[in-house]
Amino acid sequence: MMMLLLKRTPVPTVCFCVLLIGCTSVFAENVLISCSVGEGSHYFVGKTIGKYLAKHGHNVTVLLSNAYAYRAENPDDRELNFIIFNHSVPPEAVRERHKGYSKIALEPLGARFFYNLTMSQRQGNVDDCEDLLVRNPDVMHRLEHGNFSAVVYDQIWTCSLFLAMKLDTMAIMSNPMAALDLAGSQVGNPTNLALMPTGMTGFRPDMSFFQRVVNVLAHEAIKIILTFFISPFDELRQRLAIRPDLPGTAMELIATYPSLFLFNFEFGIEYPAAVYPNIIPIGGITAKPAGALPEELEDFMESSGEHGVILFTLGTYAHQIRVGWLQPFAEALGKFPQKVLWQMSTTPPFKLPSNVKTLPWLPQNDILGHPKTRLFISQGGNNGFYESQFHGVPVIIIPLGGDAVDAATRAVHRGFGLTVDKSEVTTERLHTAIHTILNNDSFAQVAKRNSEILRSRDMHPGDRAAFWVTHVMRHGGEYMRNPSLELSFVQRHLIDVAAFLLAVIASVVVVAFFLCRCCCRCCKRICFRPKQKSD
């Protein structure tokens, strides 16, 4: 009977056998995604990693705060499971705290800006962590019995690392930003400050002497700020007795506990740098071929004719920007024949030009991929930065903080964009920048070249992330780890070797000196010995 079946239906039978073999060889594991509490671009990066892991056959669960529980209702994320934890304060208070960034976004970049940004989130992050680990016993019971093989966590929330430690499972860190020098040095990657600009300085690799001085000082200052930001977690860890068998502070465990690091950068856009093999570039992970737009937006795009459309958004964090600061944008954009899509959560009190359409949310990637899009104006967020280059759209960046100033520097240096200082936003400056981009084809040409580079990669960054996460779950990541993490500060910087060599050189010099002096004295005695008188 089986022979008859094989003779009559060879193709289906072979397909069934191949499918059966393929199913038995699939390496499916349970993976937990913990991307802060579920807010902003950090969430979108973490969620995207999860969606690609699900695409590769894994069972993916996303941990969310009840302040952002609505994200679990997104029909586009059906392949993901969600676990919601509750805060000890009302969800509105959590959302209000995370709006703190937009409240200081227009402050000048400097020590005061970073201090205010750090203080607005520092204690709240620890409180959220204690809520999760202590005040959500049902959630922790589900997590502890979830049989997770790995926790993919966002760098910004150290609690996710503690969660992986408490579950005694593998941790994989995701860094949604492109600040390789800061995040890299935090996880033990070598940082050559002579060539690698410190994040948020806006420097290029060809730094002057004084810029290199500032670069070194800024690098150390930001490390101190990061240590200050993370230090409250050390007290929490000690109080909750989270893996006391693991030595080191929270800052040190960030480098030593994770098995893999996913960094949202790509060398086709960033400056070259050396990285260890456990740092995987996934730059542009949220960028993908454009999908179909809703009918209303598609009609708007097509109605722009040959002039096309300008997309303007200040990202997911800048919700409460001062209205007076926005008015010059409306005045400048109204002077161009292009139509404008402006992401704005509220109706402005000033009059909008007839060519401007505002919406509280826009499908950024799909609009950037539309053939009618001519220019992208943004605050310099990393996701939008890479999405614009994936689709070959030139940019104007108004850095509001974080690593946006570095993105703006790269855009200007590489020739695919311009920047306008947030403290110097005027109608005239904005008009000049927009006119320059729209009337100079070189910006679009460089952006198109960047698009070709990003699209020519061997696999999409999401597939690369899924591949390497699967790889370390199967084989571990110890063999890729930076061996210098096992060395002391003295050993790592060869201070002991330098001291030994200096001692040897000093000994040789001293011995040579005394030998020369001895020889000189002997020669002097022999050559200048007084002659004895004969009787």
Side-chain angles (χ1 to χ4, degrees):
M1 185 68 179
M2 180 60 70
M3 292 300 296
L4 181 62
L5 180 62
L6 288 173
K7 289 180 180 179
R8 290 184 178 179
T9 57
V11 175
T13 304
V14 171
C15 291
F16 173 78
C17 293
V18 171
L19 179 62
L20 182 62
I21 294 171
C23 289
T24 56
S25 64
V26 169
F27 185 78
E29 293 290 336
N30 299 323
V31 181
L32 178 65
I33 306 290
S34 179
C35 33
S36 185
V37 293
E39 169 63 333
S41 58
H42 290 250
Y43 169 74
F44 294 126
V45 171
K47 181 190 77 168
T48 304
I49 293 172
K51 289 172 76 72
Y52 276 93
L53 284 168
K55 170 188 168 185
H56 284 253
H58 298 291
N59 304 311
V60 180
T61 300
V62 178
L63 181 66
L64 281 179
S65 151
N66 66 329
Y68 300 96
Y70 66 89
R71 297 197 184 279
E73 306 301 323
N74 189 343
D76 294 333
D77 299 333
R78 294 188 190 93
E79 67 268 55
L80 303 177
N81 306 302
F82 291 89
I83 293 179
I84 312 297
F85 75 92
N86 297 314
H87 295 272
S88 57
V89 297
E92 296 77 15
V94 178
R95 290 192 289 267
E96 190 63 28
R97 168 158 50 87
H98 283 273
K99 290 178 182 177
Y101 174 77
S102 63
K103 294 178 180 178
I104 66 170
L106 298 184
E107 291 185 9
L109 292 174
R112 180 183 177 86
F113 177 88
F114 295 119
Y115 175 79
N116 290 338
L117 180 61
T118 300
M119 294 306 295
S120 69
Q121 306 296 329
R122 183 173 182 256
Q123 188 58 46
N125 282 353
V126 180
D127 294 339
D128 293 343
C129 189
E130 190 162 5
D131 285 342
L132 169 64
L133 300 179
V134 177
R135 303 185 184 99
N136 282 264
D138 293 341
V139 170
M140 289 304 300
H141 178 79
R142 291 180 63 187
L143 294 175
E144 289 166 353
H145 292 81
N147 194 27
F148 293 109
S149 297
V151 175
V152 180
Y153 77 97
D154 191 296
Q155 180 193 17
I156 201 170
W157 198 30
T158 307
C159 185
S160 303
L161 175 62
F162 284 5
L163 179 60
M165 293 162 55
K166 191 173 179 65
L167 298 179
D168 194 20
T169 190
M170 176 181 293
I172 296 165
M173 192 188 85
S174 165
N175 175 33
M177 300 177 291
L180 178 60
D181 64 301
L182 296 177
S185 63
Q186 193 177 8
V187 303
N189 197 65
T191 302
N192 185 347
L193 293 176
L195 298 172
M196 189 181 295
T198 295
M200 293 173 278
T201 60
F203 292 158
R204 294 165 22 179
D206 53 343
M207 292 175 281
S208 66
F209 169 74
F210 288 107
Q211 284 179 327
R212 281 183 281 122
V213 172
V214 173
N215 197 49
V216 171
L217 296 177
H219 182 80
E220 295 304 317
I222 294 178
K223 283 173 63 177
I224 293 172
I225 292 173
L226 287 174
T227 303
F228 172 73
F229 183 74
I230 294 171
S231 59
F233 282 98
D234 287 317
E235 187 275 332
L236 179 67
R237 180 193 175 201
Q238 184 177 13
R239 180 154 48 87
L240 300 183
I242 301 174
R243 295 296 302 273
D245 57 304
L246 296 176
T249 64
M251 193 73 171
E252 292 168 338
L253 287 167
I254 289 173
T256 57
Y257 189 85
S259 301
L260 193 71
F261 303 96
L262 306 174
F263 276 41
N264 198 4
F265 74 94
E266 173 60 49
F267 285 126
I269 307 297
E270 308 297 329
Y271 298 129
V275 293
Y276 273 94
N278 61 350
I279 294 180
I280 308 301
I282 58 168
I285 188 171
T286 61
K288 58 185 178 181
L293 294 174
E295 184 177 355
E296 178 187 6
L297 281 179
E298 181 63 33
D299 292 342
F300 182 85
M301 301 293 290
E302 291 298 332
S303 67
S304 64
E306 63 177 356
H307 297 295
V309 173
I310 298 172
L311 174 61
F312 176 34
T313 172
L314 294 175
T316 53
Y317 290 108
H319 297 298
Q320 298 181 345
I321 295 294
R322 189 172 67 247
V323 173
W325 184 81
L326 292 173
Q327 189 163 353
F329 288 93
E331 295 171 355
L333 291 167
K335 297 180 179 181
F336 291 92
Q338 283 75 19
K339 290 199 170 185
V340 179
L341 281 173
W342 185 342
Q343 181 170 300
M344 185 182 294
S345 57
T346 59
T347 303
F350 51 82
K351 183 179 180 181
L352 289 171
S354 59
N355 65 328
V356 175
K357 181 181 182 65
T358 65
L359 288 170
W361 180 83
L362 291 169
Q364 181 173 280
N365 178 80
D366 298 334
I367 294 172
L368 287 170
H370 197 282
K372 292 288 186 179
T373 304
R374 301 288 184 265
L375 172 63
F376 181 42
I377 303 175
S378 82
Q379 90 289 2
N382 203 41
N383 289 345
F385 179 80
Y386 270 96
E387 287 168 9
S388 70
Q389 295 314 287
F390 181 83
H391 295 294
V393 178
V395 298
I396 294 176
I397 297 177
I398 300 94
L400 296 183
D403 59 340
V405 64
D406 305 305
T409 298
R410 291 193 299 275
V412 174
H413 186 205
R414 295 289 178 87
F416 57 88
L418 296 174
T419 182
V420 177
D421 192 293
K422 64 181 178 182
S423 62
E424 300 176 351
V425 168
T426 63
T427 304
E428 293 73 22
R429 284 193 173 91
L430 292 170
H431 182 274
T432 299
I434 296 170
H435 182 271
T436 301
I437 294 281
L438 295 177
N439 292 276
N440 188 334
D441 292 339
S442 66
F443 294 96
Q445 289 171 0
V446 176
K448 296 297 183 187
R449 178 178 176 273
N450 290 340
S451 176
E452 293 173 359
I453 292 174
L454 293 178
R455 290 172 181 266
S456 67
R457 293 174 289 187
D458 55 348
M459 63 176 73
H460 186 274
D463 293 312
R464 181 183 295 131
F467 169 83
W468 281 105
V469 171
T470 303
H471 179 87
V472 296
M473 285 193 296
R474 180 181 293 178
H475 304 292
E478 288 297 317
Y479 74 95
M480 297 186 289
R481 191 179 181 205
N482 178 2
S484 71
L485 293 173
E486 307 299 330
L487 304 178
S488 67
F489 178 86
V490 171
Q491 294 171 316
R492 187 182 307 124
H493 294 86
L494 295 176
I495 295 175
D496 51 349
V497 174
F500 172 74
L501 294 177
L502 286 174
V504 170
I505 293 172
S507 299
V508 171
V509 171
V510 170
V511 170
F513 171 77
F514 281 106
L515 284 175
C516 290
R517 190 171 72 169
C518 182
C519 290
C520 289
R521 285 179 177 177
C522 291
C523 292
K524 183 177 180 180
R525 282 197 297 268
I526 293 173
C527 296
F528 299 97
R529 184 172 55 188
K531 297 180 179 180
Q532 296 180 354
K533 293 182 179 180
S534 57
D535 294 337

